[in-house]
Amino acid sequence: MDINLLIDQLITYAINEKLLAPRDRAWAVNQLLSLLHLDEYIPSGFKGKTPKFPCEILNNICNWAAKNGLISPDTVTMRDLFDTKLMGVFAGLPSAVTDEFFKLHKKSPKSATDKFYHDARALDYIRTNRVAKNQVWKTRTPYGTLDITINMSKPEKSPQDIAAALQAKPSAYPLCLLCKENEGYAGRINHPARQNLRLIALDVLKDGNPWYLQYSPYVYYNEHCIFLSAQHEPMKISQTTFARLLNFVEFLPHYFIGSNADLPIVGGSILTHDHFQGGRYTFAMEKAPVDRTFKMKKFPRVKAGIVKWPMSVIRLNGTKKDLIEASGYILKKWRAYNDEKASILAHTNTTPHNTITPIARRRGKAFEIDLVLRNNRTSPEYPFGIFHPHQEVHHIKRENIGLIEVMGLAVLPARLGKELAGLAPLLIKRDLMSIKKDDTLNKHAEWAEELLKRYTFTPQNTQTILRSEVGKVFAKGLEYAGVFKRTPEGQDAFDRFIKKL
């Protein structure tokens, strides 16, 4: 394909998406020529429509670049490094992006995030075409309608990429994927390019130590954002955490925000860099009603209750100041709480086990925070965690129950998509023996046998049934992750802790 036409298509796309002013067209052309190792350019006269997102244009430019030796080897990783460099041409200076964000925020918080999110997608920082590959559905459960996602968006590494990464020189810059130094970074074989990443500094505590707002490149829900510490420091839940969360939703009241727990097993996948996740989405947990209310003597103005949810959730509603203090008080009590009858021990020698996954949001003028009680103890019977999805559900979900899962969105591994597709025809044939003999599918054999007792599978209903049952298994995993079980005995144990408050 004519490279001049591709350049014109990309420039026109950037102008249409307001990433580039028409006045800057010649400058942008020259930037692209430099990146493409070209000395001259002949305008193609392109005046056609451009796509909503640039991935098709970028793919064609990468094809041209690979053919002309600018991408070698021609792998997904090398293409990502190259096309991100191209889109970096259209990313505004961080200071200009920040100034625009705060200018729009004065008009309305929503207009500020609308523009910031639009640009993250338009710049292909959010890999919209890959996110669209995720398998997404909803499942009704006794706890509400849960969201299920099979993560198909992150590309698999090629053998060449893996080999190159092993030979790559170790680097401590940036220290991790969440460090602020990623903004504008060119990337390398073992670290993604980030020329199209922009951050907004928010000093929510007004203490001169800003945190930074960005979006996730592989969004799991609408406006999935990350709020990260300026310092590369481990996750830590404290009263200051609650202050940051509640100040954040005061600044952006149309967003929720939450934090993973700060201990292994019950925490998220990145515990080495303190960060939160938020966005503009209503999860099932937010919709869940309060089972029963209780009073806190120290905080009479705070409305408190236990949420009807598979995990153990305390919901507080009130003023920001009251919630910061009440949440800090509950955290302190929970950190030290023991209940051997419920298998809850605060410490093993000096190793802590109790922590909290908090989620904050606005309820009109009031503030609301959910405190999900967590414990990361293991035992010989449950080496992955006593309060972790147990072995019987590992064929669907074995990974940590992090913040997103806590709220009711399952992020399931890509292998499950292929496995469900393989199970479907065998379930229709009622061929359990083939499932048991298959090295990939045999992990699902016991589950499949149980399903065959309850359903008659047909080509028309198999996918619907499987998706519904996957959701139920996920809900079961959440129940295992609850420190106080949804049984009379478990709720009595929950009440024993509540009385300590």
Side-chain angles (χ1 to χ4, degrees), residues 138-148 256 281-290 307-310 313 315 361 363 368 370 403-410 474 478:
K138 294 179 181 290
T139 297
R140 291 182 180 179
T141 74
Y143 307 106
T145 301
L146 304 184
D147 293 294
I148 312 296
F256 80 88
Y281 190 74
T282 303
F283 289 90
M285 191 174 80
E286 181 178 342
K287 299 177 185 177
V290 169
V307 180
K308 183 183 179 182
W309 193 244
V313 185
R315 178 168 292 164
R361 63 185 76 91
R363 291 287 195 191
E368 183 171 273
D370 287 343
L403 171 66
I404 295 173
E405 284 88 1
V406 163
M407 295 184 292
L409 191 161
F474 171 58
L478 292 182

Side-chain angles (χ1 to χ4, degrees), residues 441-486:
L441 301 180
N442 59 14
K443 67 173 73 70
H444 300 291
E446 187 175 335
W447 181 54
E449 186 172 9
E450 190 268 330
L451 294 179
L452 286 169
K453 293 175 183 177
R454 295 194 284 121
Y455 296 106
T456 298
F457 289 92
T458 70
Q460 291 74 35
N461 70 10
T462 299
Q463 184 183 71
T464 299
I465 292 171
L466 283 175
R467 287 186 165 190
S468 175
E469 292 297 323
V470 165
K472 292 175 184 177
V473 173
F474 171 58
K476 188 71 175 177
L478 292 182
E479 289 178 346
Y480 284 136
V483 294
F484 298 115
K485 303 308 175 189
R486 300 291 304 181

Side-chain angles (χ1 to χ4, degrees), residues 390-452:
H390 288 180
Q391 182 70 31
E392 69 182 81
V393 302
H394 283 187
H395 65 106
I396 299 294
K397 175 72 173 175
R398 185 173 65 178
E399 298 79 14
N400 290 5
I401 299 295
L403 171 66
I404 295 173
E405 284 88 1
V406 163
M407 295 184 292
L409 191 161
V411 180
L412 303 176
R415 54 96 180 162
L416 191 60
K418 297 177 182 178
E419 291 166 9
L420 293 179
L423 279 174
L426 298 177
L427 289 170
I428 293 169
K429 294 177 183 178
R430 304 188 70 81
D431 188 357
L432 184 61
M433 187 58 65
S434 292
I435 294 173
K436 290 181 177 180
K437 289 181 178 179
D438 189 291
D439 290 341
T440 301
L441 301 180
N442 59 14
K443 67 173 73 70
H444 300 291
E446 187 175 335
W447 181 54
E449 186 172 9
E450 190 268 330
L451 294 179
L452 286 169

